[in-house]
Amino acid sequence: MVSDAVLNNDWHVVTRSQDLQEGKILKARLLGEDLVLWRSSGEAKAWQDRCPHRGSSFATGWVKKDNLVCPYHGFMFNNSGQCVHVPAHPDQPPPARSKACVKTFHVQERYGVVWVCLGTPQQDVPSWPEWDDPSYRHRFFFGYGHCKSSAPRNLENFIDVNHIAYVHGDTLGTPDFAEMGNYKIESKPDGIKVSEIKVWQYDVDMSGEGEVMSASLDILRPLTVCLRRGTPNDRMVILFTVTPVDEEECIGWKLILFNTPGEVPEAEMNELSNKVIEQDITAVESQRPKRLPLDLQAEFHLPSDRTTIAYRKWLSKLGVTFGTIPVAKNAVSSR
């Protein structure tokens, strides 16, 4: 288990709910831990992908009568992780001690995805009220944005609106309107609120026209942020969360809602979003170091970088270490 208590005790997305089907076994990796995902009586399960008998993977095993079967020796485990059947000794009760149990993790399903906490949850999954608002009838999901960089680098890229004019110069913005105005930022112990962001972008209805739009960012968790763009009656809302696979490997998940009165062309939306994701991945994978430096002296900053500066300070204050380069104890960092 990683030593980063903040991320270890938080919730992270590992797959879409619709992809975790009854009788199907999926593999995932979270914070350097290999997981096996499956369903028992409709309930999602997340276990350590390691049979306690000889350490083999469950990934090529199968589900039988609501139990998970290890493919190496056929050991059968119930939905609590307890061994209930040993084929080599069918008449002998399986060991009841903890060594014969699979390590299990906390699971929740919300917003159409499966969230896993490896440690002890300190709070619920991030709140996203628009999900239950029926006026947001246009819904899109983009996942599996596999990135060979750290999760904090990926999340910081999303909240850095300065890159839109260049990284997304042919999709979301344009270099002709790269100037970044002032905005409000409020740092709290439980997150960061950024409001009154003014940035030139194409219309949320994908009409091809562009203008300066108002947006806000709510950084809810170290690796989860909610973006709201547009007017109350014509708004796009994005919940973006990043799964920390390993120190320098992550997966981005983007859930998008629209309450725009018109139609949002699905094919065009998919094409645009996938291109934006590819552009972001290319940009983030080029950054060095791959882990996000929390010492503010490590890179130089501008007034328009206040959001990312606040994010780095917040991570440092929380004690996030996985995927970051923490401030050295004897270093003097800008405040």
Side-chain angles (χ1 to χ4, degrees), residues 254-320:
K254 188 179 292 185
L255 292 80
I256 306 176
L257 305 180
F258 289 90
N259 70 349
T260 180
E263 293 301 317
V264 180
E266 184 173 357
E268 289 87 339
M269 181 64 186
N270 290 338
E271 181 180 0
L272 173 64
S273 294
N274 287 325
K275 187 172 183 179
V276 168
I277 290 171
E278 290 176 3
Q279 292 171 335
D280 277 326
I281 290 174
T282 299
V284 174
E285 288 187 339
S286 75
Q287 291 179 285
R288 297 292 184 275
K290 291 181 178 293
R291 303 182 191 188
L292 186 68
L294 301 187
D295 185 346
L296 298 184
Q297 303 301 320
E299 298 175 341
F300 79 90
H301 312 281
L302 299 171
S304 55
D305 294 319
R306 289 189 301 125
T307 298
T308 54
I309 291 171
Y311 176 62
R312 295 185 185 196
K313 285 183 176 181
W314 185 49
L315 293 187
S316 184
K317 186 175 182 179
L318 289 175
V320 174

Side-chain angles (χ1 to χ4, degrees), residues 116-175:
V116 171
C117 175
L118 298 184
T120 303
Q122 302 301 298
Q123 53 191 324
D124 200 358
V125 300
S127 175
W128 194 27
E130 286 89 353
W131 178 263
D132 297 314
D133 186 339
S135 69
Y136 286 88
R137 58 191 182 90
H138 306 291
R139 302 185 172 213
F140 300 87
F141 178 90
F142 300 93
Y144 312 105
H146 205 101
C147 184
K148 294 179 180 178
S149 190
S150 69
R153 274 287 196 194
N154 202 336
L155 193 287
E156 185 184 79
N157 172 77
F158 185 86
I159 64 175
D160 181 337
V161 295
N162 296 330
H163 78 281
I164 293 175
Y166 286 90
V167 174
H168 308 301
D170 61 343
T171 51
L172 298 179
T174 171

Side-chain angles (χ1 to χ4, degrees), residues 89-106:
H89 307 281
D91 298 325
Q92 177 180 325
R97 60 184 182 274
S98 59
K99 286 186 177 180
C101 296
V102 182
K103 186 173 180 58
T104 64
F105 302 110
H106 301 276

Side-chain angles (χ1 to χ4, degrees), residues 18-288:
Q18 69 182 49
D19 292 335
L20 187 57
Q21 301 173 5
E22 202 80 39
K24 185 177 181 180
I25 298 174
L26 298 180
K27 279 182 65 69
R29 188 169 171 83
L30 173 62
L31 291 167
E33 179 78 67
D34 286 319
L35 307 180
V36 62
L37 313 174
W38 64 292
R39 288 192 182 278
S40 176
S41 298
E43 185 177 348
K45 300 291 180 181
W47 290 3
Q48 184 181 56
D49 188 19
R50 179 185 179 278
C51 178
H53 176 231
R54 288 294 180 266
S56 56
S57 170
F58 288 107
T60 58
W62 57 92
V63 179
K64 181 179 181 181
K65 297 180 180 179
D66 250 7
N67 298 299
L68 190 62
V69 181
C70 174
Y72 194 24
H73 294 96
F75 282 35
M76 186 180 294
F77 298 84
N78 65 16
N79 55 21
S80 297
Q82 173 66 47
C83 182
V84 294
H85 179 63
V86 178
H89 307 281
D91 298 325
Q92 177 180 325
R97 60 184 182 274
S98 59
K99 286 186 177 180
C101 296
V102 182
K103 186 173 180 58
T104 64
F105 302 110
H106 301 276
V107 180
Q108 285 200 65
E109 291 190 76
R110 202 171 302 175
Y111 317 135
V113 292
V114 179
W115 301 77
V116 171
C117 175
L118 298 184
T120 303
Q122 302 301 298
Q123 53 191 324
D124 200 358
V125 300
S127 175
W128 194 27
E130 286 89 353
W131 178 263
D132 297 314
D133 186 339
S135 69
Y136 286 88
R137 58 191 182 90
H138 306 291
R139 302 185 172 213
F140 300 87
F141 178 90
F142 300 93
Y144 312 105
H146 205 101
C147 184
K148 294 179 180 178
S149 190
S150 69
R153 274 287 196 194
N154 202 336
L155 193 287
E156 185 184 79
N157 172 77
F158 185 86
I159 64 175
D160 181 337
V161 295
N162 296 330
H163 78 281
I164 293 175
Y166 286 90
V167 174
H168 308 301
D170 61 343
T171 51
L172 298 179
T174 171
D176 296 333
F177 296 98
E179 184 176 356
M180 187 68 195
N182 199 9
Y183 53 85
K184 293 183 178 180
I185 184 166
E186 182 180 6
S187 296
K188 300 179 179 180
D190 61 346
I192 301 171
K193 172 75 174 181
V194 187
S195 58
E196 299 184 18
I197 304 170
K198 303 294 184 180
V199 59
W200 192 97
Q201 285 190 268
Y202 288 108
D203 290 340
V204 295
D205 61 2
M206 300 181 64
S207 65
E209 300 296 325
E211 61 181 330
V212 175
M213 296 185 182
S214 179
S216 67
L217 291 166
D218 286 288
I219 306 174
L220 306 170
R221 302 289 168 80
L223 299 177
T224 301
V225 59
C226 182
L227 177 147
R228 295 175 174 89
R229 190 186 79 174
T231 64
N233 297 320
D234 191 3
R235 176 165 289 169
M236 176 183 72
V237 182
I238 300 177
L239 185 72
F240 181 70
T241 188
V242 187
T243 302
V245 176
D246 279 302
E247 291 268 19
E248 298 180 358
E249 187 177 351
C250 63
I251 300 175
W253 311 83
K254 188 179 292 185
L255 292 80
I256 306 176
L257 305 180
F258 289 90
N259 70 349
T260 180
E263 293 301 317
V264 180
E266 184 173 357
E268 289 87 339
M269 181 64 186
N270 290 338
E271 181 180 0
L272 173 64
S273 294
N274 287 325
K275 187 172 183 179
V276 168
I277 290 171
E278 290 176 3
Q279 292 171 335
D280 277 326
I281 290 174
T282 299
V284 174
E285 288 187 339
S286 75
Q287 291 179 285
R288 297 292 184 275

